Amino acid sequence: MPYHFSSLQVIVLAAGKGTRMASNLPKVLHPVLGKSMLQHVLSSIESLLPKSITLVAGHGIDKLRSFIGQPENLTWVEQKEQLGTAHAVLQAESSDPDAELVLIVCADTPLLQTSTLADLIQQHLQQQADVSILSAQPSNPYGYGRIVRDAQGQVTAIIEEKDANAQQRQIQEVSSGIFCVNRAFLFQALQNIGNDNAQHEYYLPDIVPIALHAGKKVQAISMDNSDEMLGINDRIQLAQAEHLMQQDVIREWRKQGVTIEQADTVRIEASVHIGADSVIKAGTQLLGSTHLGDDCVVGPYAVLQDSWLEDGITVAPFSHLERCNIGDDANIGPFARLRPGAKLDEAVKIGNFVEVKQAVIGRGSKVNHLSYIGDTVMGEDCNIGAGTITCNYDGANKHQTNIGHRVFVGSDTKLVAPVAVGSGATIGAGSIITKDVKEDGLTLSARPEQRHVKNWIRPKKGDR
Ligand code: UD1
Ligand code: MG
């Protein structure tokens, strides 16, 4: 269901250093299944179609900017000193003063779903609340702010782990860190939050007692699936998030008609696409922006990075493909390496121990064994014999090889670039080609004469 929250400002908190990650990379730029936490959070927010998004950044703000760029309707604000989540939200005060409602989301919760956020906002509006908190009951509440309720069930406070007493630590219901708050009240209340606590930080959760004191309506909305609120503070939680997301991604592709064998050995990143009736075999990794068409078979143990494959393609075991483009019904591998710029037309066959780089290979051409094809344009229906090398590099510069249509290259040929081979040509095995080859006919370089040694006796074991 499409959403459109036209009076909503979403404030994304992403200024923290993420000390517990022990990393030079800002925490929210760490990837979960190939996409940064921040990108995950931003995509689920964008689907709400809010009025505006304000990103509060601080630590590593320049790195964040170069990762995220400048999406329309996103405003950057800087929190120079990380004095706490309440202080972070305050930085967004002048960003969109006309909005009526604010949704505050931490950028370190990559599993959050759009529908969960929409549900919180809808309940906030329906209940005419002033402050709504998204809460959950995870199996282990350690580290999260605990939701304290009174005898009537009314939320009275959120107590951070470090400030909680033994009794409060027993509370199972925790805050996800996500709040929906009426804007006018929010920025008024933030002025009154202090930092008299274990971390000497201005805590956003302290808005709860302030709201109650002002007679405002506060509610905690419990989410169905507590996995979604997993907040990433260290690499152990990062691994947990990735595991959960991987299970979701695999379930989703299975629903779309993809067969995934031995799924616990497979990696399918978040931005990958897989067509129906494709089969992904054990140990295979589909990474980055890889796109697979229908009826493909990949693996076992193939790695595909940022590559585009059409329909009906087989990628046999232990092949490695990076930034390449493959037409319908091609056959790749086993043990093939397709490097960036490999562009294979329909029904091309690349066999074992073949490396292809920055090369266009025409329809139906075959490079079946032990070859290197680099900086090459090859026509249709060529057959390149085992051990053929395009010698593209002279130690300083790369040179181009052009091969026409229906060319037959004998085994162990060296094509010393720059060089061109005319259509229909046949090149004899073992040739070293340094000059352009004419169309049709047979071309071969001089070969050492073959001789026969008549009285030669094969040595036997024990001979001295
Ligand atoms: C926070 C909440 C806690 C909640 C948990 C859910 C507070 C005080 N605690 O704890 O109640 O259960 O999230 O995951 O709000 N940030 C800033 N500026 C700052 C401090 C933090 O932008 O000055 C950002 C961080 O980059 C991060 C988010 O706010 O994205 C939350 O900060 P973090 O330090 O992870 O808080 P938690 O201890 O996880
Ligand atoms: Mg956190």
Coordinates of all heavy atoms in Angstrom, one line a residue, residues 356-440:
V356 N 38.6 -13.1 -19.1 CA 38.1 -12.1 -20.1 C 38.1 -10.8 -19.4 O 37.5 -10.6 -18.3 CB 36.7 -12.4 -20.7 CG1 36.3 -11.4 -21.7 CG2 36.7 -13.8 -21.3
K357 N 38.7 -9.7 -20.0 CA 38.6 -8.4 -19.5 C 38.4 -7.4 -20.6 O 39.0 -7.5 -21.6 CB 40.0 -8.1 -18.8 CG 40.0 -6.8 -18.1 CD 41.4 -6.1 -18.3 CE 41.5 -5.4 -19.6 NZ 42.7 -4.5 -19.7
Q358 N 37.5 -6.4 -20.3 CA 37.3 -5.3 -21.3 C 37.2 -5.8 -22.7 O 38.0 -5.5 -23.5 CB 38.5 -4.3 -21.1 CG 38.1 -2.9 -21.6 CD 37.0 -2.3 -20.7 OE1 37.1 -2.3 -19.5 NE2 36.0 -1.7 -21.4
A359 N 36.3 -6.7 -22.9 CA 36.2 -7.4 -24.2 C 34.8 -7.6 -24.6 O 34.0 -8.0 -23.8 CB 37.0 -8.7 -24.2
V360 N 34.5 -7.4 -25.9 CA 33.1 -7.7 -26.4 C 33.3 -9.0 -27.2 O 34.1 -9.1 -28.0 CB 32.7 -6.5 -27.3 CG1 31.3 -6.8 -27.9 CG2 32.6 -5.2 -26.6
I361 N 32.4 -9.9 -26.9 CA 32.5 -11.2 -27.6 C 31.1 -11.4 -28.3 O 30.1 -11.4 -27.6 CB 32.8 -12.3 -26.6 CG1 34.2 -12.0 -26.0 CG2 32.8 -13.7 -27.3 CD1 34.8 -13.1 -25.2
G362 N 31.1 -11.6 -29.6 CA 29.9 -11.7 -30.4 C 29.1 -13.0 -30.2 O 29.7 -14.0 -29.7
R363 N 27.9 -13.0 -30.7 CA 27.0 -14.1 -30.5 C 27.6 -15.4 -31.0 O 28.1 -15.6 -32.0 CB 25.7 -13.8 -31.3 CG 24.6 -14.9 -31.3 CD 23.3 -14.3 -31.6 NE 23.3 -13.5 -32.8 CZ 23.2 -14.0 -34.0 NH1 23.0 -15.3 -34.2 NH2 23.2 -13.2 -35.1
G364 N 27.4 -16.4 -30.1 CA 27.8 -17.8 -30.4 C 29.3 -18.1 -30.4 O 29.7 -19.2 -30.7
S365 N 30.1 -17.1 -30.1 CA 31.5 -17.4 -30.1 C 31.9 -18.2 -28.9 O 31.3 -18.1 -27.8 CB 32.3 -16.1 -30.1 OG 32.2 -15.5 -31.4
K366 N 33.0 -19.0 -29.0 CA 33.4 -19.9 -28.0 C 34.9 -19.7 -27.6 O 35.8 -19.6 -28.5 CB 33.3 -21.4 -28.4 CG 31.9 -21.8 -28.8 CD 31.9 -23.3 -29.1 CE 30.5 -23.8 -29.3 NZ 30.1 -23.6 -30.8
V367 N 35.2 -19.5 -26.3 CA 36.5 -19.5 -25.8 C 36.5 -20.6 -24.7 O 36.2 -20.3 -23.6 CB 36.9 -18.1 -25.3 CG1 38.4 -18.1 -25.0 CG2 36.5 -17.0 -26.2
N368 N 36.9 -21.8 -25.1 CA 36.6 -22.9 -24.2 C 37.6 -23.2 -23.1 O 37.3 -23.8 -22.1 CB 36.2 -24.1 -25.0 CG 34.7 -24.1 -25.4 OD1 33.9 -23.5 -24.7 ND2 34.4 -24.8 -26.4
H369 N 38.9 -22.9 -23.4 CA 39.9 -23.4 -22.4 C 41.1 -22.5 -22.3 O 41.6 -22.1 -23.3 CB 40.4 -24.8 -22.8 CG 39.5 -25.7 -23.6 ND1 38.7 -26.6 -23.1 CD2 39.3 -25.7 -25.0 CE1 38.0 -27.2 -24.1 NE2 38.4 -26.6 -25.2
L370 N 41.5 -22.2 -21.1 CA 42.8 -21.7 -20.7 C 43.3 -20.5 -21.6 O 44.4 -20.5 -22.1 CB 43.8 -22.9 -21.0 CG 43.6 -24.1 -20.1 CD1 44.1 -25.4 -20.8 CD2 44.3 -23.9 -18.8
S371 N 42.4 -19.5 -21.8 CA 42.8 -18.4 -22.6 C 42.7 -17.1 -21.9 O 42.0 -17.0 -20.8 CB 41.9 -18.4 -23.8 OG 42.1 -19.4 -24.7
Y372 N 43.4 -16.1 -22.4 CA 43.2 -14.7 -21.9 C 42.7 -13.8 -23.1 O 43.4 -13.7 -24.1 CB 44.5 -14.2 -21.3 CG 44.4 -12.7 -21.0 CD1 43.5 -12.3 -20.0 CD2 45.1 -11.7 -21.7 CE1 43.3 -10.9 -19.7 CE2 44.9 -10.4 -21.4 CZ 44.0 -10.0 -20.4 OH 43.8 -8.7 -20.1
I373 N 41.6 -13.2 -22.9 CA 41.0 -12.3 -23.9 C 40.9 -10.9 -23.2 O 40.0 -10.8 -22.4 CB 39.7 -12.8 -24.5 CG1 39.8 -14.2 -25.0 CG2 39.2 -11.9 -25.5 CD1 40.7 -14.4 -26.2
G374 N 41.7 -10.0 -23.6 CA 41.6 -8.7 -23.0 C 41.7 -7.6 -24.0 O 42.3 -7.7 -25.0
D375 N 41.0 -6.5 -23.8 CA 40.9 -5.3 -24.7 C 40.7 -5.8 -26.1 O 41.5 -5.5 -27.1 CB 42.3 -4.5 -24.6 CG 42.5 -4.0 -23.2 OD1 41.6 -3.3 -22.7 OD2 43.5 -4.4 -22.6
T376 N 39.6 -6.5 -26.3 CA 39.3 -7.2 -27.6 C 37.9 -6.9 -28.0 O 37.0 -6.8 -27.2 CB 39.5 -8.7 -27.4 OG1 40.9 -8.9 -27.1 CG2 39.1 -9.5 -28.6
V377 N 37.7 -6.8 -29.3 CA 36.3 -6.9 -29.9 C 36.3 -8.1 -30.8 O 37.1 -8.2 -31.7 CB 36.0 -5.6 -30.7 CG1 34.6 -5.8 -31.3 CG2 35.9 -4.4 -29.7
M378 N 35.4 -9.0 -30.5 CA 35.4 -10.3 -31.3 C 34.0 -10.4 -31.9 O 33.0 -10.1 -31.2 CB 35.6 -11.5 -30.3 CG 35.8 -12.8 -31.0 SD 35.8 -14.2 -29.8 CE 37.2 -13.8 -28.8
G379 N 33.9 -10.8 -33.1 CA 32.6 -11.0 -33.8 C 31.9 -12.2 -33.4 O 32.2 -12.9 -32.4
E380 N 31.0 -12.7 -34.3 CA 30.1 -13.8 -34.0 C 30.7 -15.1 -34.5 O 31.5 -15.1 -35.4 CB 28.7 -13.6 -34.7 CG 28.0 -12.4 -34.3 CD 26.7 -12.1 -35.0 OE1 26.4 -13.0 -35.9 OE2 26.0 -11.1 -34.7
D381 N 30.3 -16.2 -33.8 CA 30.7 -17.5 -34.2 C 32.2 -17.8 -34.4 O 32.6 -18.5 -35.3 CB 29.9 -17.9 -35.5 CG 28.4 -17.9 -35.2 OD1 28.0 -18.4 -34.2 OD2 27.6 -17.4 -36.1
C382 N 33.0 -17.2 -33.6 CA 34.4 -17.5 -33.6 C 34.7 -18.7 -32.7 O 33.9 -19.0 -31.8 CB 35.2 -16.3 -33.1 SG 35.1 -14.9 -34.2
N383 N 35.8 -19.4 -32.9 CA 36.2 -20.5 -32.1 C 37.7 -20.2 -31.7 O 38.5 -20.2 -32.6 CB 36.0 -21.8 -32.8 CG 36.2 -23.0 -31.8 OD1 37.0 -22.9 -30.9 ND2 35.4 -24.0 -32.0
I384 N 37.9 -20.0 -30.4 CA 39.2 -19.6 -30.0 C 39.8 -20.8 -29.3 O 39.3 -21.3 -28.3 CB 39.1 -18.4 -29.0 CG1 38.3 -17.2 -29.7 CG2 40.5 -17.9 -28.6 CD1 38.9 -16.6 -30.9
G385 N 40.9 -21.3 -29.8 CA 41.5 -22.6 -29.3 C 42.1 -22.4 -28.0 O 42.4 -21.3 -27.5
A386 N 42.4 -23.5 -27.3 CA 42.9 -23.6 -26.0 C 44.2 -22.8 -25.9 O 45.1 -22.9 -26.8 CB 43.1 -25.0 -25.5
G387 N 44.4 -22.1 -24.9 CA 45.7 -21.4 -24.6 C 45.9 -20.2 -25.5 O 47.1 -19.7 -25.5
T388 N 44.9 -19.6 -26.1 CA 45.1 -18.4 -26.9 C 45.2 -17.2 -26.0 O 44.5 -17.1 -25.0 CB 43.9 -18.2 -27.9 OG1 43.9 -19.3 -28.8 CG2 44.0 -16.9 -28.6
I389 N 46.2 -16.4 -26.3 CA 46.4 -15.2 -25.5 C 46.4 -13.9 -26.4 O 47.0 -13.9 -27.4 CB 47.8 -15.2 -24.8 CG1 48.1 -16.5 -24.1 CG2 48.0 -14.0 -23.9 CD1 47.3 -16.7 -22.8
T390 N 45.6 -12.9 -26.0 CA 45.7 -11.6 -26.6 C 46.8 -10.9 -25.8 O 46.6 -10.6 -24.6 CB 44.4 -10.8 -26.5 OG1 43.9 -10.8 -25.2 CG2 43.3 -11.5 -27.4
C391 N 47.9 -10.6 -26.4 CA 49.0 -10.0 -25.7 C 48.7 -8.4 -25.7 O 49.1 -7.8 -26.7 CB 50.3 -10.3 -26.3 SG 50.6 -12.1 -26.6
N392 N 48.0 -8.0 -24.8 CA 47.5 -6.6 -24.8 C 48.4 -5.5 -24.2 O 48.1 -4.4 -24.4 CB 46.1 -6.5 -24.2 CG 46.1 -6.9 -22.7 OD1 47.0 -7.7 -22.3 ND2 45.2 -6.4 -22.0
Y393 N 49.4 -6.0 -23.5 CA 50.2 -5.0 -22.6 C 51.6 -5.1 -23.0 O 52.2 -6.2 -23.0 CB 49.9 -5.4 -21.2 CG 50.5 -4.5 -20.2 CD1 50.2 -3.1 -20.2 CD2 51.3 -5.0 -19.1 CE1 50.7 -2.3 -19.3 CE2 51.7 -4.1 -18.1 CZ 51.5 -2.7 -18.2 OH 51.9 -1.9 -17.3
D394 N 52.2 -3.9 -23.3 CA 53.6 -3.9 -23.7 C 54.5 -3.4 -22.5 O 55.6 -3.0 -22.7 CB 53.8 -3.0 -24.9 CG 53.4 -1.6 -24.7 OD1 53.1 -1.2 -23.5 OD2 53.2 -0.8 -25.6
G395 N 53.9 -3.4 -21.3 CA 54.7 -2.9 -20.2 C 54.4 -1.5 -19.8 O 54.6 -1.1 -18.7
A396 N 53.8 -0.8 -20.8 CA 53.4 0.6 -20.5 C 52.0 0.9 -20.9 O 51.2 1.5 -20.2 CB 54.4 1.6 -21.3
N397 N 51.6 0.4 -22.1 CA 50.2 0.7 -22.6 C 49.5 -0.6 -23.0 O 50.1 -1.6 -23.2 CB 50.4 1.6 -23.8 CG 51.0 2.9 -23.5 OD1 50.5 3.7 -22.7 ND2 52.2 3.2 -24.1
K398 N 48.2 -0.4 -23.0 CA 47.3 -1.5 -23.4 C 46.9 -1.3 -24.8 O 46.7 -0.2 -25.3 CB 46.0 -1.5 -22.5 CG 46.2 -1.7 -21.0 CD 46.4 -3.1 -20.7 CE 46.9 -3.3 -19.3 NZ 46.0 -2.9 -18.3
H399 N 46.9 -2.4 -25.6 CA 46.5 -2.3 -27.0 C 45.4 -3.2 -27.3 O 45.1 -4.2 -26.7 CB 47.8 -2.7 -27.9 CG 48.9 -1.8 -27.6 ND1 49.0 -0.5 -28.1 CD2 50.0 -2.0 -26.8 CE1 50.1 0.0 -27.7 NE2 50.8 -0.8 -26.9
Q400 N 44.7 -2.9 -28.5 CA 43.4 -3.5 -28.8 C 43.6 -4.7 -29.8 O 44.5 -4.6 -30.7 CB 42.6 -2.4 -29.4 CG 41.2 -2.8 -29.8 CD 40.3 -2.8 -28.5 OE1 40.6 -2.3 -27.5 NE2 39.2 -3.5 -28.7
T401 N 42.8 -5.7 -29.7 CA 42.8 -6.8 -30.7 C 41.4 -6.8 -31.3 O 40.4 -6.7 -30.5 CB 43.0 -8.1 -30.0 OG1 44.3 -8.1 -29.4 CG2 43.0 -9.3 -31.0
N402 N 41.3 -6.8 -32.6 CA 40.0 -6.9 -33.3 C 39.9 -8.2 -34.0 O 40.8 -8.5 -34.9 CB 39.8 -5.7 -34.2 CG 39.5 -4.4 -33.4 OD1 38.7 -4.4 -32.5 ND2 40.3 -3.4 -33.7
I403 N 38.8 -8.9 -33.8 CA 38.7 -10.2 -34.4 C 37.3 -10.2 -35.1 O 36.3 -9.8 -34.5 CB 38.7 -11.4 -33.4 CG1 40.1 -11.3 -32.7 CG2 38.5 -12.7 -34.1 CD1 40.2 -12.3 -31.5
G404 N 37.3 -10.5 -36.4 CA 36.0 -10.5 -37.2 C 35.1 -11.6 -36.8 O 35.2 -12.2 -35.7
H405 N 34.2 -12.0 -37.8 CA 33.3 -13.1 -37.5 C 33.8 -14.4 -38.0 O 34.7 -14.4 -38.9 CB 32.0 -12.8 -38.3 CG 31.3 -11.5 -38.0 ND1 30.9 -11.2 -36.7 CD2 31.1 -10.4 -38.7 CE1 30.4 -10.0 -36.7 NE2 30.5 -9.5 -37.9
R406 N 33.4 -15.5 -37.5 CA 33.7 -16.9 -37.9 C 35.2 -17.1 -38.0 O 35.7 -17.8 -38.9 CB 33.0 -17.2 -39.3 CG 31.5 -17.0 -39.3 CD 30.9 -17.2 -40.7 NE 31.6 -16.3 -41.6 CZ 31.4 -15.0 -41.7 NH1 30.5 -14.4 -40.9 NH2 32.1 -14.3 -42.6
V407 N 35.9 -16.5 -37.1 CA 37.4 -16.7 -37.1 C 37.7 -18.0 -36.3 O 37.0 -18.3 -35.3 CB 38.1 -15.5 -36.5 CG1 39.6 -15.8 -36.2 CG2 37.9 -14.3 -37.4
F408 N 38.6 -18.8 -36.8 CA 39.1 -20.0 -36.0 C 40.5 -19.8 -35.6 O 41.4 -19.6 -36.5 CB 38.9 -21.2 -36.9 CG 39.3 -22.5 -36.2 CD1 38.3 -23.3 -35.6 CD2 40.6 -22.9 -36.0 CE1 38.7 -24.5 -35.0 CE2 41.0 -24.0 -35.4 CZ 40.0 -24.9 -34.8
V409 N 40.8 -19.7 -34.3 CA 42.2 -19.5 -33.9 C 42.7 -20.8 -33.3 O 42.1 -21.4 -32.4 CB 42.2 -18.4 -32.8 CG1 43.6 -18.2 -32.3 CG2 41.7 -17.1 -33.4
G410 N 43.8 -21.4 -33.8 CA 44.3 -22.6 -33.3 C 44.9 -22.5 -31.9 O 45.2 -21.3 -31.5
S411 N 45.0 -23.6 -31.3 CA 45.5 -23.6 -29.9 C 46.9 -22.9 -29.7 O 47.7 -22.9 -30.6 CB 45.6 -25.0 -29.4 OG 44.4 -25.6 -29.4
D412 N 47.0 -22.3 -28.6 CA 48.4 -21.8 -28.2 C 48.8 -20.6 -29.1 O 50.0 -20.5 -29.5 CB 49.4 -22.9 -28.1 CG 50.6 -22.4 -27.3 OD1 50.4 -21.5 -26.4 OD2 51.7 -22.9 -27.5
T413 N 47.9 -19.8 -29.6 CA 48.2 -18.7 -30.4 C 48.4 -17.5 -29.6 O 47.6 -17.2 -28.6 CB 47.1 -18.5 -31.5 OG1 47.1 -19.6 -32.4 CG2 47.3 -17.2 -32.3
K414 N 49.4 -16.6 -30.0 CA 49.6 -15.3 -29.3 C 49.2 -14.3 -30.3 O 49.7 -14.2 -31.4 CB 51.0 -15.1 -28.9 CG 51.3 -15.8 -27.6 CD 52.4 -16.8 -27.7 CE 52.5 -17.6 -26.4 NZ 52.2 -19.0 -26.7
L415 N 48.2 -13.4 -30.0 CA 47.8 -12.3 -30.8 C 48.4 -11.1 -30.2 O 48.0 -10.6 -29.2 CB 46.3 -12.2 -30.9 CG 45.6 -13.4 -31.5 CD1 44.1 -13.5 -31.1 CD2 45.7 -13.5 -33.0
V416 N 49.5 -10.6 -30.8 CA 50.3 -9.5 -30.2 C 49.6 -8.2 -30.7 O 49.7 -7.7 -31.8 CB 51.7 -9.5 -30.6 CG1 52.5 -8.4 -29.9 CG2 52.3 -10.9 -30.2
A417 N 48.9 -7.5 -29.7 CA 48.2 -6.3 -30.1 C 49.1 -5.1 -30.1 O 50.2 -5.1 -29.5 CB 47.1 -6.1 -29.0
P418 N 48.7 -4.0 -30.9 CA 47.5 -3.9 -31.7 C 47.5 -4.8 -32.9 O 48.5 -4.8 -33.7 CB 47.4 -2.5 -32.1 CG 48.8 -2.0 -32.1 CD 49.6 -2.8 -31.1
V419 N 46.4 -5.5 -33.1 CA 46.3 -6.4 -34.3 C 44.9 -6.7 -34.6 O 44.0 -6.6 -33.8 CB 47.1 -7.8 -34.0 CG1 46.4 -8.6 -33.0 CG2 47.5 -8.5 -35.2
A420 N 44.6 -7.0 -35.9 CA 43.3 -7.3 -36.3 C 43.3 -8.6 -37.1 O 44.2 -8.9 -37.8 CB 42.7 -6.1 -37.2
V421 N 42.2 -9.4 -37.0 CA 42.0 -10.6 -37.7 C 40.8 -10.5 -38.5 O 39.7 -10.3 -38.0 CB 41.9 -11.8 -36.7 CG1 41.8 -13.1 -37.4 CG2 43.2 -11.8 -35.8
G422 N 40.9 -10.7 -39.8 CA 39.7 -10.6 -40.7 C 38.7 -11.7 -40.6 O 39.1 -12.8 -40.1
S423 N 37.5 -11.5 -40.9 CA 36.4 -12.5 -40.8 C 36.8 -13.7 -41.6 O 37.4 -13.6 -42.7 CB 35.1 -11.9 -41.3 OG 34.6 -11.0 -40.4
G424 N 36.4 -14.9 -41.1 CA 36.6 -16.1 -41.8 C 38.0 -16.6 -41.8 O 38.3 -17.7 -42.3
A425 N 38.9 -15.9 -41.1 CA 40.3 -16.4 -41.1 C 40.5 -17.6 -40.2 O 39.7 -17.8 -39.3 CB 41.2 -15.2 -40.6
T426 N 41.5 -18.4 -40.6 CA 41.9 -19.5 -39.7 C 43.4 -19.3 -39.4 O 44.2 -18.9 -40.2 CB 41.8 -20.9 -40.4 OG1 40.4 -21.1 -40.8 CG2 42.3 -22.0 -39.6
I427 N 43.7 -19.4 -38.1 CA 45.1 -19.2 -37.7 C 45.6 -20.6 -37.2 O 45.0 -21.2 -36.4 CB 45.2 -18.1 -36.6 CG1 44.7 -16.8 -37.1 CG2 46.6 -18.0 -36.0 CD1 44.7 -15.7 -36.1
G428 N 46.8 -21.0 -37.7 CA 47.3 -22.3 -37.3 C 47.8 -22.3 -35.8 O 48.2 -21.3 -35.3
A429 N 47.7 -23.5 -35.2 CA 48.1 -23.7 -33.8 C 49.5 -23.2 -33.6 O 50.4 -23.3 -34.4 CB 48.0 -25.1 -33.4
G430 N 49.7 -22.6 -32.4 CA 51.1 -22.2 -32.0 C 51.6 -20.9 -32.7 O 52.7 -20.6 -32.5
S431 N 50.7 -20.2 -33.4 CA 51.2 -19.0 -34.2 C 51.4 -17.9 -33.2 O 50.7 -17.7 -32.2 CB 50.2 -18.6 -35.2 OG 50.1 -19.6 -36.2
I432 N 52.4 -17.0 -33.6 CA 52.6 -15.8 -33.0 C 52.2 -14.7 -34.0 O 52.9 -14.5 -35.0 CB 54.0 -15.6 -32.5 CG1 54.4 -16.7 -31.5 CG2 54.2 -14.2 -31.8 CD1 55.8 -16.7 -31.0
I433 N 51.1 -14.0 -33.8 CA 50.6 -13.1 -34.8 C 50.9 -11.7 -34.4 O 50.5 -11.2 -33.4 CB 49.0 -13.3 -34.9 CG1 48.7 -14.7 -35.3 CG2 48.4 -12.3 -35.8 CD1 49.1 -15.2 -36.6
T434 N 51.7 -11.1 -35.2 CA 52.2 -9.7 -34.9 C 51.7 -8.7 -36.0 O 51.8 -7.5 -35.8 CB 53.7 -9.6 -34.9 OG1 54.2 -10.2 -36.1 CG2 54.3 -10.4 -33.7
K435 N 51.2 -9.3 -37.1 CA 50.6 -8.4 -38.2 C 49.2 -8.7 -38.4 O 48.8 -9.9 -38.2 CB 51.4 -8.6 -39.4 CG 52.9 -8.0 -39.3 CD 53.6 -8.1 -40.6 CE 54.1 -9.6 -40.8 NZ 55.1 -9.8 -41.8
D436 N 48.4 -7.8 -39.0 CA 47.0 -8.0 -39.2 C 46.8 -9.3 -40.1 O 47.6 -9.6 -41.0 CB 46.4 -6.8 -39.9 CG 46.2 -5.7 -39.0 OD1 46.5 -5.8 -37.8 OD2 45.8 -4.6 -39.4
V437 N 45.8 -10.0 -39.8 CA 45.5 -11.3 -40.6 C 44.4 -11.0 -41.6 O 43.4 -10.5 -41.2 CB 45.1 -12.4 -39.5 CG1 44.6 -13.6 -40.3 CG2 46.2 -12.7 -38.6
K438 N 44.6 -11.5 -42.8 CA 43.6 -11.3 -43.9 C 42.4 -12.1 -43.6 O 42.4 -13.1 -42.9 CB 44.2 -11.7 -45.2 CG 45.4 -10.8 -45.7 CD 45.6 -11.1 -47.2 CE 46.6 -10.1 -47.8 NZ 47.9 -10.0 -47.1
E439 N 41.3 -11.7 -44.3 CA 40.1 -12.5 -44.2 C 40.3 -13.8 -44.8 O 41.1 -14.0 -45.7 CB 39.0 -11.7 -45.0 CG 38.5 -10.5 -44.3 CD 37.2 -10.0 -45.0 OE1 36.8 -10.6 -46.0 OE2 36.7 -8.9 -44.5
D440 N 39.5 -14.8 -44.4 CA 39.5 -16.2 -44.9 C 41.0 -16.7 -45.0 O 41.9 -16.2 -44.6 CB 38.8 -16.2 -46.3 CG 37.4 -15.7 -46.2 OD1 36.7 -16.0 -45.1 OD2 37.0 -14.9 -47.1

